[in-house]
Structures are given as C-alpha cells and as structure tokens.
C-alpha cells in the first residue's frame, strides 16, 4: 500500500526516525498501570502506534482525521481500535465512559493549544498527557513566571499539571521537515483538587491579563476591580510576574461574592 501523501492543512509531518518514535511512546510508560486506556491523537502512518501497541500495559485507541491515513492504518494495524474523526469534536465520555485515560501523540501542530485546552476540560480523568509539539509551545507550557514564554497556557495548565520538558527534536527526523523545532513534553496531574476560587473567573482573569501582557494589571483588569485597596500588591504588576498561586489569590480578591 502506498504511503500517505503529507497534507499541510492537517499539520502532517510524519516522523521517520524510529528511535525518536520509541522514545516518545515510552514517555507514557512510567505512569501506566495494567491495561491503562490511552488515546493516541493523529497516528498518521502509525510510527508511534506500533510501539504503543507493543506495550502490554496500554489499551490503545487512536483518533485520526485524515481518511487516507485511516485506510493505511486499517491495512497495517488491523488490531488497532481506530476512530475516524476530529479529536477536537470528539466526545471523550463516549470513548471512555468511565475512569482515567492517558493522551499521547505526535500532535498536529496547528491545533496543539486547542488539544491542551481540551485536555484541561477533562483534567480529572486525564492523569497524564505526553507527546510532541512545536518547541515554542513546549517552552510556553513549561515556562516559569518572569520568562517571555510564560503565558495563558503556562498558567492554566500548571494550575492542574506538573509539566516536564523532556527533550528537543530536530526537524530533519520528519518527512516533510516542519519549519520549526519540536519538543516532547509530559503533563502529569498534580494533587490540586480545586482552585479555591471561582474557576471560570480564574480563566477569564488569566486570559484578560495576558491579552494585554505589557500593561499593568490595574489597567488590563480594570473591569473586574471594585476595591483597589484590597489589590494593592497586584495593581502595578504585569501578568508574567504572577505565579499560579498569585493568580488564584488575585481571583479570590476579584470575586464579587467575597466582598
Ligand atoms: N503521529 C504521526 C503523524 C503526525 S502528523 C507521526 O508521528 O508520524 C499529525 C497527524 O494528526 C496527522 O496524521 C493528521 O492527519 C492528524 N490530525 C490532524 N488534525 C487532526 C484532528 N483534528 N484530529 C485527529 N487527527 C488529526
């Protein structure tokens, strides 16, 4: 059967280095127990899939949007549980009616942020998510406060996940090579069970503050501020200076019901 022709619109860059593929597949190993359900996003021609299927601790399901890749996978991996469709539209409760599951992939880079936002929507059921994304996004996700890369994704993900930047991957191991460098990350659910503040407001505050990241919070968050005195420590700061804990505290102070 012919190889799949890479389509730009689907973010298709097929990994050709089996050593790297094996290393990525192994990133989920330390966290899985017996027959742990794992979803692979965008298996393409199955370069990661083959290693995941070999792992006796993993109960693998994959979702692939590209019809041509689906046909290829059905031919070469008939044993694979494969869903043809868009991960972003997938109802994960249908695929995994109960319990926890992991997420892995050499992800389509054009939707990597959206993939992580969706993981966040299911955070209490996804203890681990690992895989390859653009290096720049990996740096954003893993960034600590005070860095240029620190932003919305860093705060929202780090509130719930411990992030490990595992290793960098050169563009030459792909066909076709992407324009950017890549990196492999792992997100593991931390022990936080609630934010101790209004979670929706927390998200809005983080997004609003970073959407005007050069501005002091006094200006970017003015529509939320009713009592400046309470917020003294925060008013002249910029969003990249605030840790996750500080964003949580700030949100508490902005909550109208706690006046
Ligand atoms: N994992 C393969 C392919 C990586 S390229 C490898 O390492 O070689 C990204 C893959 O994600 C492609 O196969 C692409 O078709 C698929 N894809 C793109 N958008 C998708 C979506 N919304 N849902 C599921 N798969 C998607």
């Amino acid at each position: 059967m012919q190889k799949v022709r890479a389509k730009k619109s689907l973010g298709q860059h097929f990994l050709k280095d089996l050593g790297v593929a094996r290393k990525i597949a192994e990133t989920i190993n330390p966290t899985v127990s017996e027959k742990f359900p794992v979803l692979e996003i965008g298996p393409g021609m199955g370069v990661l899939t083959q290693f995941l299927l070999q792992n006796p601790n993993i109960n693998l399901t994959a979702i692939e949007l590209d019809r041509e890749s689906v046909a290829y996978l059905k031919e070469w991996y008939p044993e694979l549980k494969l869903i043809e469709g868009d991960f972003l539209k997938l109802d994960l409760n249908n695929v995994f009616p109960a319990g926890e599951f992991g997420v892995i992939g050499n992800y389509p880079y054009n939707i990597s942020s959206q993939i992580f936002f969706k993981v966040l929507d299911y955070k209490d059921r996804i203890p681990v998510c690992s895989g390859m994304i653009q290096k720049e996004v990996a740096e954003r996700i893993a960034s600590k406060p005070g860095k240029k890369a620190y932003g919305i994704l860093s705060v929202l993900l780090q509130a719930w996940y411990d992030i490990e930047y595992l290793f960098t991957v050169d563009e030459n191991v792909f066909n076709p090579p992407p324009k950017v460098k890549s990196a492999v990350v792992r997100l593991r659910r931390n022990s936080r069970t609630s934010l101790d503040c209004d979670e929706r407001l927390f998200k809005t505050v983080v997004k609003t503050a970073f959407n005007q990241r050069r501005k002091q919070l006094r200006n970017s968050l003015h529509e939320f501020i009713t009592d400046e005195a309470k917020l003294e420590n925060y008013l002249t700061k910029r969003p990249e200076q605030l840790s996750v804990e500080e964003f949580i505290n700030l949100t508490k102070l902005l909550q109208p019901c706690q006046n």
Side-chain angles (χ1 to χ4, degrees), residues 9-16 40-49 63-66 69 85-89 105-111 132 174:
S9 61
L10 290 170
Q12 288 181 336
H13 296 278
F14 298 112
L15 186 59
K16 55 182 189 187
E40 184 190 355
I41 301 174
M45 283 184 279
V47 66
L48 285 185
T49 319
I63 174 149
E64 173 58 62
L65 180 57
D66 175 34
S69 297
D86 181 345
F87 169 72
L88 297 178
K89 294 191 185 136
N106 168 15
Y107 299 110
Y109 292 179
N110 51 335
I111 57 164
M132 183 144 62
F174 298 90

Side-chain angles (χ1 to χ4, degrees), residues 8 25 40 53-54 75 83 108 149 151 185 199 247 258:
K8 222 175 171 180
E40 184 190 355
L53 284 172
Q54 281 167 18
E75 171 96 20
I83 303 165
V185 290
E199 279 184 30
F247 267 112
Q258 291 201 346

Side-chain angles (χ1 to χ4, degrees), residues 12-133:
Q12 288 181 336
H13 296 278
F14 298 112
L15 186 59
K16 55 182 189 187
D17 184 319
L18 289 185
V20 175
R22 181 192 291 274
K23 258 175 88 179
I24 297 173
E26 284 171 355
T27 57
I28 203 149
N29 263 355
T31 50
V32 299
S33 51
E34 214 179 320
K35 285 284 157 216
F36 187 70
V38 170
L39 181 69
E40 184 190 355
I41 301 174
M45 283 184 279
V47 66
L48 285 185
T49 319
Q50 59 189 316
F51 295 111
L52 295 166
L53 284 172
Q54 281 167 18
N55 185 332
N57 288 336
I58 287 179
N59 177 6
L60 189 68
T61 304
I63 174 149
E64 173 58 62
L65 180 57
D66 175 34
R67 200 181 278 176
E68 209 185 330
S69 297
V70 167
Y72 185 96
L73 290 160
K74 282 190 174 156
E75 171 96 20
W76 288 94
Y77 304 97
E79 73 278 33
L80 175 67
K81 278 181 271 174
L82 181 61
I83 303 165
E84 179 173 354
D86 181 345
F87 169 72
L88 297 178
K89 294 191 185 136
L90 184 66
D91 183 348
L92 289 169
N93 292 318
N94 275 342
V95 186
F96 304 107
E100 298 189 326
F101 57 94
V103 173
I104 195 165
N106 168 15
Y107 299 110
Y109 292 179
N110 51 335
I111 57 164
S112 54
S113 301
Q114 292 164 75
I115 290 174
F116 289 116
F117 283 123
K118 181 149 178 171
V119 166
L120 271 180
D121 289 339
Y122 289 84
K123 60 186 181 300
D124 291 328
R125 299 194 52 207
I126 304 180
V128 59
C129 166
S130 65
M132 183 144 62
I133 49 181

